[in-house]
Amino acid sequence: MQTSDYQRLDRAHHLHPFTDFKALGEEGSRIIERGEGVYIIDSEGNRILDGMAGLWCVNLGYGREELVEAATAQMRQLPYYNNFFKTTHPPAVKLAETLCRLAPPHINRVFFTGSGSEANDTVLRMVRRYWALKGQPEKQWVIGRENAYHGSTVAGLSLGGMAPMHEQGGPLVPKIAHVRQPWWFGEGRFGEGRSEGQDPETFGRECAAALEAKILELGEENVAAFIAEPVQGAGGAIIPPASYWPAVKAVLAKYDILLVADEVICGFGRLGEWFGSVHYGLEPDLMPIAKGLSSGYLPIGGVLVGDRVADTLIEEGGEFFHGFTYSGHPTCAAVAQRNLELMEAEGVVERVRDDLGPYLAQRWQALAKHPLVGEARSLGLIGALELIDPATGERFDKALAVGNLCRDLCFASGLVMRSVGDTMIISPPLVISHAEIDELVDKARAALDATLARLADTTTDQQEETSA
Ligand SMILES: *Cc1c(COP(=O)(O)O)cnc(C)c1O
């Protein structure tokens, strides 16, 4: 089969996730055939540096034989069995133990799911169930954040705060509210009258104050939990100002509201700690996980449940009517276990914290001098560039879709860098080398140059049209 054969069949039969089906059909998909280390190789033989680790998940990179072997061995032994009805199997038990050893000390239980979305569905049921058992059944509201991503099931998208998602296929799950996100560049520095001229730290405290105002508006006796990612990933690699998390923690403690830290992206080394919550000292009650748990080699997720909630569910809950056919799937669990063992043996997390994170930060900051870039930020191995119009120093008109242009030019130059509006984001595999970081930054710069050139062409064309 040739590229064009795959594209024809893809167009005929395949509805892609988060895709304008018709537009993609006209354009044709890029066919990815192989992966090696931090590179993917397409059906035309192009070797592309995967600056997104697939979808924030291929943390150990492509082609790890150890993970292939772990899957093969487990499939021979017991490809599938469930964890319902008083049964389990060695891979699920071992993985549960490993996860709870790596998690903060107050977290000693895990509930397995097949994905991050299912993990957040589980979270919603658990927090409401917890308060019902505590004799406060009216504590049902969950507060999330605008522009947050918590998955694509109905509960996931309701907890998330992405307006375009909310507009499709509603109504959403009731009793979920959203407060502003701590995105200083977009809503502080360039906010619509929100916090103009403020410094990031004041802005961070203001976001925490917005959470408190929402709690008071709903009634503290009605609010079950607050859900947020330590660093917002899909929303645009939003690293909150230093003032944000301590202020949020204080608000939640004041009103006795559970904290859910969505670790689906930040977990497993992305921020240079095993969990993003550890980096920020969050001590959350629940931590949904997925993605990097298996380095994306097989689908698996879960919820790490802190003692406060777990003890109540165990001691007072009776049967919890919840679970998935693939909760703790043995082959997926065996691969996740091997993935975590390799990460420990190779010191991957420490390397991100002490070496790769600081190295990326230094190289990435150099891009802040590019005329198209208004801000360059990174933490561990997650980073973002905020694009601005060099002519005005303001943000571009959204309709120009400059971010998408830059992303397409990036792909053409051999780098996957994603765009969220006019925010360019990266989240490379955690095994990337210094030389590969250099290549990533050089290719990102080349794509920025190409974007600038393309914009200049368009402006010249427009001027010529006007004068003609
Ligand atoms: C990807 C993601 C999810 C959803 O995970 P799926 O495995 O795609 O269902 C949830 N939360 C966050 C923060 C994510 O990035």
Side-chain angles (χ1 to χ4, degrees), residues 22 38 150 336 389 465:
K22 191 170 167 205
V38 300
H150 296 298
D389 185 344
E465 267 171 43

Side-chain angles (χ1 to χ4, degrees), residues 75-129:
M75 286 182 98
R76 290 215 170 89
Q77 178 83 20
L78 180 73
Y80 175 76
Y81 200 72
N82 62 70
N83 292 284
F84 287 43
F85 316 131
K86 303 187 192 171
T87 62
T88 188
H89 39 68
V93 177
K94 280 191 211 156
L95 180 60
E97 191 274 334
T98 305
L99 281 168
C100 294
R101 178 168 56 72
L102 296 174
H106 72 287
I107 295 181
N108 292 292
R109 305 270 181 356
V110 60
F111 189 103
F112 288 117
T113 68
S115 69
S117 300
E118 288 174 6
N120 280 320
D121 277 55
T122 304
V123 158
L124 185 63
R125 297 200 65 197
M126 275 187 178
V127 298
R128 288 179 173 169
R129 176 97 182 111

